[in-house]
Every structure is written in structure tokens, then in C-alpha cells.
Amino acid sequence: AAENAFADCDVLLAIGTRFGEIATGSFGIKPTWELIHVDINPAVFNANYPARLSIEGDARVIMQALLAQLQATPPNAATVQARGMQSRQQIAHDKQAYLAEWLSHDSGQRVNPGRFFQALRSKLPDDGYLVTDDGNHTFLVAELFEPRQSRHVITPTDFNCMGYCVPATVGIKLTHPDKQVVGVVGDGAFLMTGLELLTATENKLGVVCYVFNDGE
């Protein structure tokens, strides 16, 4: 869905990203666009993807300046709206096709990931938090779970640290006691820090962790 969404992109404005391994599918994205890269850290420029223009600085300041320029010469509103609608429809179609592919998959005696995330989405409140670890399940979350509020899926993908999920789930519940918080963790990562659930038990937090055992 992400690759198709950018298939017709000719200019990409990237803000505060280093185009790391996870975000680019192990650097599998082949750029077709001219890249304008904005970041406060100049070390990220041209490290993984070449930029036509690099702008070093605080994103808040730079974006306010760019916005002022756009407002001075605004684009055609109807064109922008039409392209946005087209992109949203394409993404929705691709994600639905991917879900349908999983639902038709014979998972044998194991739980089908498509059905699991459908059930989890139907039960988890829109303001609930989902925390992942690092592993195969991380990509399943990204592809099959529908976030309905920003900053409510917490994942360690930038530095790929296994063992993150369980303590992070406990921590988020401690800081958001009125919200539902669940963790999705691989069996290997769960063996690293699963005992942190003792903290959750002692404090009667009521967090839930789902362990994805992929046999690896």
C-alpha cells in the first residue's frame, strides 16, 4: 500500500526522517522522486537516499516558513482535494486486498493474523494503546492493524530493540491508567523481559500481552 501510494510521486518533502532500514523495507524502496529533505541533524542527509535539496534546521521553524510561501501562491484546491481522495482510495483498496489475502490463508492450527487483528480492532477502544516489540509481528501490526488515533501505536522500529514491548506496555499503562493498553510481542522478545508483567500484577494494572509464537 505504501509503495503504490508513492508510485506517481515526483517530488517528496521528507521531514525529520533518516530513511532507516525498517521504514524503507530494508532499503527496498527505489525512489522515483526528487527529494527535499528537512532535518535538524545534517548527518542524515544523503546517507541512505540522495536529496535534491537538503534543509538543516528545526522542523517547526522551517515548516512555518514553507507554509507562508505556499499561502502566498496557493495551489488549486480542487486538484489537491481530488489527488488526496484518489490516494486515500488507493491505500484503502490495497490494504483491503492484503487483509483478504491473509484471511484466505490456511493457518492450520494457528491463529490467522488477519482474524486476530480484526478481532483486536473490534474490541480495543479507539483511544486504546497498542505496543509492539521487534520481530515478524511488528510488520503484521503495521500491515493489518488500523490505528484510529495518532501516537497510539508504540513501536521500537527505529533502533530495533527486542525486549521493548512488555516494559513499554507497563510504562504506558502507568502513565495512562484510564486507557486500555495491550502489547503484541514475539516469543523470543517475550523471553527477554516477560517477567516485567510482575510489575503489572503487583500494581493491578490489567495490561494484556499477546505472544506471537512463530517457531523461530
Side-chain angles (χ1 to χ4, degrees), residues 35-188:
L35 175 62
I36 302 172
H37 200 171
V38 177
D39 205 285
I40 201 167
N41 177 14
V44 306
F45 296 141
N46 301 301
N48 295 324
Y49 286 88
R52 174 71 176 271
L53 177 64
S54 302
I55 306 176
E56 177 188 348
D58 185 288
R60 184 187 300 275
V61 175
I62 292 170
M63 295 314 297
Q64 287 174 343
L66 288 177
L67 181 60
Q69 290 293 322
L70 283 173
Q71 290 172 336
T73 55
N76 182 279
T79 301
V80 172
Q81 187 173 12
R83 285 299 301 268
M85 178 64 70
Q86 180 182 357
S87 295
R88 285 191 291 272
Q89 290 175 342
Q90 178 69 49
I91 292 169
H93 173 271
D94 290 342
K95 290 185 76 68
Q96 187 60 42
Y98 185 78
L99 173 61
E101 182 181 341
W102 263 113
L103 293 177
S104 64
H105 174 70
D106 182 5
S107 297
Q109 297 300 311
R110 299 189 176 198
V111 177
N112 184 297
R115 299 195 182 281
F116 169 80
F117 283 109
Q118 275 192 323
L120 180 61
R121 179 67 281 174
S122 69
K123 297 296 183 182
L124 188 67
D126 288 356
D127 62 355
Y129 288 84
L130 186 149
V131 188
T132 82
D133 213 279
D134 181 58
N136 290 333
H137 68 281
T138 314
F139 297 97
L140 292 172
V141 170
E143 293 161 342
L144 294 171
F145 183 77
E146 176 198 354
R148 293 177 180 167
Q149 290 192 24
S150 63
R151 300 176 183 267
H152 279 62
V153 173
I154 314 296
T155 180
T157 52
D158 200 37
F159 291 104
N160 298 30
C161 49
M162 290 180 68
Y164 172 88
C165 176
V166 176
T169 301
V170 173
I172 293 167
K173 183 64 175 179
L174 284 169
T175 55
H176 299 79
D178 59 327
K179 304 298 183 185
Q180 180 99 38
V181 183
V182 301
V184 178
V185 57
D187 54 315

